[in-house]
Amino acid sequence: MEQRNVKLTVAYDGSGYHGWQRQTDNIITVQQVLESAIVKTVHHPINLRGSGRTDTAVHALGQVANFFTNTQIPTEKLYHAINSRLPDKSIRVRKSEDVSEKFDAITSAKSKLYRYAMFNHEEIDPRDMRYCYHYSFPCDANRMSEAAKLLLGEHDFTSFASAGNDRECNIRHLMRCDVSREGHWIYFELEANGFLYNMVRNIVGTLVEIGRSHWAVEKIPEILAALDRKEAGFKAPAEGLTLMWVKY
Amino acid sequence: MEQRNVKLTVAYDGSGYHGWQRQTDNIITVQQVLESAIVKTVHHPINLRGSGRTDTAVHALGQVANFFTNTQIPTEKLYHAINSRLPDKSIRVRKSEDVSEKFDAITSAKSKLYRYAMFNHEEIDPRDMRYCYHYSFPCDANRMSEAAKLLLGEHDFTSFASAGNDRECNIRHLMRCDVSREGHWIYFELEANGFLYNMVRNIVGTLVEIGRSHWAVEKIPEILAALDRKEAGFKAPAEGLTLMWVKY
């Protein structure tokens, strides 16, 4: 029987999971729950490759993963079949597509967009607390936007990589780094050809230091040049982060 | 020392709580968690009176409660002090006010507004699932709005009260019953001088039967006249419901 390579687009609420990546111990992760549902659907073991590991409490609207299978379930029905075997609606497969055998969710990715949501006012709606960073103090989105522009382009982002970053090369191309305010909300949108470990959250924390006027806008090039994590700002909390899409 | 009567306006994410009302067994409720934080703030036992009991998984943006205290903490600081003693942000006190000794959160209430959120499309964002009723099938908001208008005014709402409703009189005045669609979302807003047990959720379930053309719009007066719960529709799930405000 011919092997099919199936690409899935997946949304999840990360608040109940210890991140994407399957763990060896008794910890619930998105990959593990999704793999179980796929195995129940296709009736054979699979190896699910996600485009990247999201951390504990990080969300996704457009995570991408692929796996090989010999199931005969038609592509357009496959995502329904998997969804019906997922334990609840905290993980939803949005789309299933047959792709070339060469497609790999990790290595074929051209760019990714992350969105970070910050609530910048004291009176947070308790229903939002799993989905944003609650920061009550005055924070200037225009200053942050100005600083964000200085991060655009190709740089060695070592200063924004947390310990545990195991990439061989820390040069990435940041194509988008937008900061915008909508009422009490501040949104950060970052698109790059790849991200270092905790890079988005470390950039957001750094921009917040600038937004609250603790640091000057001009500190950005200095931080980049230092190639030292200690020069950048704090790591913003995981709750605010959502992987929006992956481009191939 | 003079006794003060303090009115609190409270928001909470009901998804982690077994409703508002303190329970005798080891079940976590909003009232219990809030009372503990208040006792830690004012240093004496209190009796917190909520405007009404919200069910398990029901949310609030403007629940109101009152308690008597002899604390000397100024009113404008009291809600901060209580918030700082709440275990997390799933419950937030929005406001604290000194009110007349005659004020009682239950008996002084003139009207309440409940909002019910329904997501009417297959592809739900997993992050919304605790905060709405996910109903994928076609549902006509205009039909529901037309039917909703037939519920306005003073009626005996017995047909919309779940078993366990222990009110002595089931006549209520429904001042607002709006249904509106915004994209894939359908919102129901109901204001009344009081609500019977599960009344909002039973009305929403009934309107959905009409919205999906299972029942005619004209069934509403028949249901009201029957004074029989069995004539009305299903009880819509708790997740979609939020107590927005209480008027005094």
Side-chain angles (χ1 to χ4, degrees), chain A residues 17-181:
Chain A
Y17 295 97
H18 284 80
W20 166 268
Q21 184 78 2
R22 173 180 281 283
Q23 305 283 331
T24 44
D25 39 10
N26 277 335
I27 272 178
I28 293 182
T29 68
V30 178
Q31 183 182 25
Q32 179 180 330
V33 172
L34 188 52
E35 276 184 349
S36 303
I38 296 173
V39 168
K40 280 183 204 154
T41 310
V42 302
H43 303 295
H44 62 73
I46 59 140
N47 175 23
L48 187 68
R49 306 251 307 163
S51 78
R53 312 173 177 190
T54 52
D55 277 342
T56 298
V58 172
H59 315 286
L61 289 184
Q63 169 71 292
V64 173
N66 74 299
F67 65 98
F68 287 88
T69 178
N70 52 26
T71 182
Q72 305 221 2
I73 303 174
T75 310
E76 67 278 11
K77 289 196 179 157
L78 197 53
Y79 78 99
H80 275 297
I82 299 168
N83 278 338
S84 71
R85 283 158 180 95
L86 282 164
D88 61 42
K89 288 180 179 171
S90 59
I91 304 175
R92 290 285 94 184
V93 183
R94 286 273 181 260
K95 217 198 232 179
S96 45
E97 297 162 89
D98 278 304
V99 287
S100 126
E101 60 174 17
K102 295 201 179 98
F103 177 88
D104 180 89
I106 304 173
T107 58
S108 309
K110 294 271 185 294
S111 75
K112 289 180 192 181
L113 184 89
Y114 278 99
R115 186 171 217 233
Y116 194 94
M118 176 165 128
F119 187 74
N120 188 218
H121 184 262
E122 196 187 331
E123 292 208 356
I124 190 171
D125 181 334
R127 298 175 300 178
D128 289 325
M129 67 167 196
R130 290 185 188 87
Y131 311 106
C132 68
Y133 168 32
H134 184 199
Y135 184 80
S136 309
F137 304 100
C139 200
D140 183 341
N142 291 329
R143 270 177 75 87
M144 294 198 286
S145 174
E146 213 184 313
K149 296 297 167 245
L150 303 176
L151 290 163
L152 285 174
E154 201 166 78
H155 299 285
D156 184 326
F157 284 99
T158 298
S159 296
F160 296 99
S162 288
N165 180 62
D166 54 3
R167 279 70 168 178
E168 284 163 357
C169 163
N170 288 343
I171 296 174
R172 294 292 182 278
H173 186 197
L174 192 63
M175 295 96 133
R176 196 192 303 194
C177 195
D178 294 336
V179 185
S180 59
R181 179 182 279 278

Side-chain angles (χ1 to χ4, degrees), chain B residues 125-163:
Chain B
D125 182 335
R127 298 175 299 179
D128 289 325
M129 68 168 194
R130 292 185 186 86
Y131 311 106
C132 68
Y133 168 32
H134 184 199
Y135 184 79
S136 308
F137 304 99
C139 201
D140 182 342
N142 292 328
R143 272 176 74 86
M144 294 198 286
S145 174
E146 213 184 311
K149 296 297 167 243
L150 302 177
L151 289 164
L152 285 173
E154 201 166 78
H155 299 285
D156 184 325
F157 283 99
T158 298
S159 297
F160 296 98
S162 288

Side-chain angles (χ1 to χ4, degrees), chain A residues 189-208:
Chain A
E189 292 201 331
L190 284 82
E191 181 187 357
N193 59 350
F195 288 91
L196 309 180
Y197 187 49
N198 287 156
M199 179 169 149
V200 179
R201 292 163 62 188
N202 291 332
I203 287 179
V204 169
T206 303
L207 293 176
V208 169

